[in-house]
Amino acid sequence: MVELNRLLRPRIKLIWILLVIENVDAKIALFASGSGVTPPVNKPPKIWLYTSVAADYDGALLLPHFLDHYLALGVRLPQFLVVVNHNPLKLESKVDEVVAVLVKYGVKYRMWLDQYSSEKLMKIRYEMLNQAGWNDWIIHADSDEFHDYGMPSVVNFLAKCDEEGVNEVKGTYVDRVSTSGNLTSIESTPDIFKQYPMKCQVIKTVAGGRDTKAMAYKGFWRTDRGNHQVLRPAKAMTYLSGSPGPGLESGRGIVDGEDLYSISPYARYPEAYSFLCQQNDFDEEGNLKVQIPPGIKCFTDKNASKIPKNLLSRKSKTAIVHHFKWHSGVISNVKDRLQYYKGDAIATVSASGETEVKPRYDWYTDSEKLLNGASPEAKLI
């Protein structure tokens, strides 16, 4: 009996250790690296697709084209992460049609009943993206954004990125417009690329907006509110922080804004990242203006060579985003956003005699530029 106990003891200890590790987190076991605690990788990595659909406008018309496009690229149905936005005050909504399309394709979705706001959607996005594993890929595409990775399979493209150590893919908009320039209605056939064959730069040249987007990135990254870029680790804590008190602005400039840092991978595994601080992260006296997690060292260009090689840093390549925004539904959509973003803006005169306007969200000007880019006759100017 003594000999039997001696033989079994190591096995019992091993089983106990495995049970403890399994219960650290439902799915993630942690291991120590040279820089701290980081999650293990999944092999092979999954490819997720995140999108949001505007059910109150032309979302139902775009959706079949969108789903067909990404299924053809090789994204699997179980990895679609879809948010359906519907404002209950919109009585003429096409939400039933959107849901019918998703059910037909077998795509699960999350219903979001509220006035659209990119700030509100950002929190929902961060919550949903936590389903992705640490080294999984996240394809981030609005329902009017059709990615072109230069090859038929996004699976092969992202596998090549893994081989090269690339962890984010940046995209440049190619706006697709009808031959006439009119904001025509989206039809089920022919292929949407044939319906809008003209390649233009409407967002940049006409609307004066940013024409770059984050197309795909690893599960350890998150992007800014407009999904224009991956957040630098050194910027993440400040940008994602909530308002420090009633009536005060969050790190994103939102009064009474919510904390999003705590639901980001930056908060869960800060030791895994390379914190490279830029010149604009410091004030004139050389003090850091950005928040850095406790115990984390922020490197600069002067000592960047000392950054441990195992820490995560951004490495990107580029591709193309075909942008199908310029159709008949864009006018009512942008008008609605502009009205909400401006809110009950009140013009006031300061002591210096200057007129000041305080909108609900400062980025209402983006919607204003978009609206000014189209004529009353529903044609691009």
Side-chain angles (χ1 to χ4, degrees), residues 8 12-13 45 48 80 101 103 108 154 164 170 181 208 211 215 223 259 271 288 292-293 296 307 314 316 323 339 361:
L8 289 177
I12 294 173
K13 185 176 181 181
W48 302 83
F80 276 74
V101 172
V103 171
K108 295 182 180 179
V154 70
E164 298 171 354
K170 301 177 180 180
D211 64 346
M215 294 174 64
T223 57
D259 162 51
E271 303 94 339
L288 268 178
I292 299 296
I296 297 298
I307 299 177
R314 295 167 59 187
S316 65
H323 193 208
Q339 182 180 5
Y361 295 131

Side-chain angles (χ1 to χ4, degrees), residues 158-327:
L158 295 178
K160 185 68 174 176
C161 288
D162 280 327
E163 293 175 5
E164 298 171 354
V166 170
N167 51 43
E168 64 168 312
V169 182
K170 301 177 180 180
T172 302
Y173 270 152
V174 174
D175 288 296
R176 305 296 296 233
V177 180
S178 67
T179 305
S180 64
N182 292 323
L183 301 178
T184 58
S185 177
I186 300 170
E187 304 295 340
S188 58
T189 58
D191 181 88
I192 195 168
F193 284 85
K194 294 180 180 179
Q195 295 184 48
Y196 300 92
M198 302 295 289
K199 300 177 181 179
C200 310
Q201 287 186 311
V202 181
I203 284 289
K204 184 176 182 178
T205 59
V206 178
R210 299 171 66 180
D211 64 346
T212 57
K213 296 296 285 280
M215 294 174 64
Y217 46 89
K218 279 295 194 177
F220 45 75
W221 294 134
R222 291 295 181 267
T223 57
D224 60 3
R225 180 173 46 232
N227 189 44
H228 292 289
Q229 60 186 343
V230 164
L231 290 175
R232 292 187 293 119
K235 181 182 178 181
M237 192 172 189
T238 299
Y239 182 77
L240 298 175
S241 66
S243 301
L248 301 179
E249 292 186 348
S250 68
R252 298 174 303 286
I254 306 300
V255 175
D256 298 328
E258 291 192 60
D259 162 51
L260 301 182
Y261 179 72
S262 61
I263 59 174
S264 76
Y266 302 102
R268 290 193 293 275
Y269 310 108
E271 303 94 339
Y273 297 93
S274 168
F275 282 78
L276 183 62
C277 290
Q278 301 176 350
Q279 184 176 355
N280 58 4
D281 294 328
F282 297 88
D283 60 21
E284 295 179 356
E285 285 73 36
N287 301 311
L288 268 178
K289 297 187 297 182
V290 294
Q291 293 176 281
I292 299 296
I296 297 298
K297 181 178 180 180
C298 198
F299 294 84
T300 63
D301 290 336
K302 294 181 180 179
N303 60 359
S305 60
K306 297 181 180 180
I307 299 177
K309 300 299 183 183
N310 61 328
L311 295 183
L312 296 171
S313 59
R314 295 167 59 187
K315 183 178 180 181
S316 65
K317 64 190 315 179
T318 59
I320 294 173
V321 180
H322 294 281
H323 193 208
F324 292 90
K325 189 180 190 72
W326 309 107
H327 51 81

Side-chain angles (χ1 to χ4, degrees), residues 48-152:
W48 302 83
L49 170 67
Y50 167 84
T51 191
S52 60
V53 182
D56 298 334
Y57 303 100
D58 281 356
L61 301 177
L62 265 171
L63 193 54
H65 295 284
F66 178 89
L67 295 174
D68 288 340
H69 179 77
Y70 285 98
L71 287 171
L73 282 176
V75 182
R76 298 178 65 249
L77 284 174
Q79 270 72 65
F80 276 74
L81 300 174
V82 180
V83 183
V84 177
N85 174 234
H86 165 50
N87 185 338
L89 296 179
K90 300 289 183 182
L91 301 180
E92 297 181 0
S93 171
K94 300 176 182 178
V95 64
D96 291 342
E97 296 177 28
V98 169
V99 171
V101 172
L102 293 171
V103 171
K104 177 183 177 181
Y105 278 78
V107 178
K108 295 182 180 179
Y109 60 92
R110 173 171 171 174
M111 185 65 71
W112 172 34
L113 303 177
D114 200 351
Q115 165 64 46
Y116 177 88
S117 161
S118 55
E119 174 71 14
K120 296 176 183 177
L121 180 59
M122 189 177 179
K123 180 182 179 181
I124 295 174
R125 184 215 312 171
Y126 272 44
E127 292 171 345
M128 295 183 70
L129 292 186
N130 281 336
Q131 298 180 55
W134 183 254
N135 74 312
D136 288 350
W137 279 99
I138 297 168
I139 296 174
H140 190 141
D142 291 346
S143 60
D144 59 7
E145 296 174 352
F146 290 51
H147 292 181
D148 181 353
Y149 292 97
M151 59 176 63

Side-chain angles (χ1 to χ4, degrees), residues 306-362:
K306 297 181 180 180
I307 299 177
K309 300 299 183 183
N310 61 328
L311 295 183
L312 296 171
S313 59
R314 295 167 59 187
K315 183 178 180 181
S316 65
K317 64 190 315 179
T318 59
I320 294 173
V321 180
H322 294 281
H323 193 208
F324 292 90
K325 189 180 190 72
W326 309 107
H327 51 81
S328 59
V330 68
I331 299 295
S332 55
N333 190 344
V334 174
K335 280 184 177 180
D336 188 38
R337 290 191 189 184
L338 177 58
Q339 182 180 5
Y340 178 71
Y341 286 169
K342 267 194 167 182
D344 299 324
I346 300 175
T348 59
V349 180
S350 64
S352 60
E354 297 181 357
T355 300
E356 298 178 345
V357 178
K358 296 182 179 180
R360 177 179 280 117
Y361 295 131
D362 288 338

